[in-house]
Amino acid sequence: MLREYQSDDGEPTGSSGKPALNVLVQRDIRNVVAVVTRYYGGTNLGVGGLARAYSRAVKDAVDDAGVVQTVPHETFVVTVEYDDSGTVRGILESAGVEFEGIYEVDVSFEVRVPIEEGAMLRDRIRSATSGRADVER
């Protein structure tokens, strides 16, 4: 669910909140809060000047801070006997996912994978081990 909110907070209508939000929307930046504090220096900027000042403040802040792209992940555990552990480890390494192997009576791999790839990876592991792998979400 996408929620957007902006406020002019005492500035003339449409002169601050909307221009600041537009910078974030145009750059497709999500999961962020931008707050601009303006100190009045005695010069009236007018609506156009205020809009440029507020949008420039957000643009400069985003440029300075940078943008980090995140991908939703899920975690699952694969438990196999030692005979299948090399096969599973090879699949996980070739998939380039994060995982940790725990070698006890059996071998458990705690796997962190992008959600979009999870089902396919689980199916691949089950297929490669002829269904012997126990996969728990």
Side-chain angles (χ1 to χ4, degrees):
M1 177 173 90
L2 180 64
R3 289 188 348 181
E4 296 176 348
Y5 176 78
Q6 54 84 22
S7 171
D8 294 317
D9 195 32
E11 296 285 17
T13 301
S15 67
S16 55
K18 186 90 170 146
L21 178 60
N22 283 342
V23 172
L24 303 174
V25 170
Q26 289 171 355
R27 292 186 179 198
D28 196 27
I29 298 174
R30 297 171 186 226
N31 298 319
V32 67
V33 174
V35 177
V36 178
T37 303
R38 181 176 81 94
Y39 295 97
Y40 181 65
T43 303
N44 291 330
L45 300 177
V47 173
L50 286 170
R52 285 187 296 277
Y54 278 96
S55 63
R56 180 65 186 255
V58 173
K59 178 195 168 302
D60 288 349
V62 169
D63 289 346
D64 288 348
V67 176
V68 176
Q69 183 174 358
T70 60
V71 176
H73 282 69
E74 66 174 294
T75 302
F76 62 88
V77 177
V78 178
T79 304
V80 293
E81 293 182 4
Y82 275 83
D83 291 348
D84 289 320
S85 65
T87 301
V88 172
R89 183 177 203 86
I91 290 170
L92 297 174
E93 287 174 349
S94 70
V97 297
E98 297 175 36
F99 69 93
E100 180 181 344
I102 302 163
Y103 293 82
E104 294 176 337
V105 173
D106 289 323
V107 181
S108 296
F109 296 96
E110 187 173 311
V111 183
R112 184 173 184 268
V113 61
I115 290 173
E116 292 180 356
E117 300 171 18
M120 183 180 69
L121 184 58
R122 286 189 295 275
D123 288 345
R124 190 172 158 202
I125 291 168
R126 286 185 188 110
S127 176
T129 61
S130 299
R132 292 184 300 272
D134 180 27
V135 181
E136 299 175 18
R137 290 181 115 195

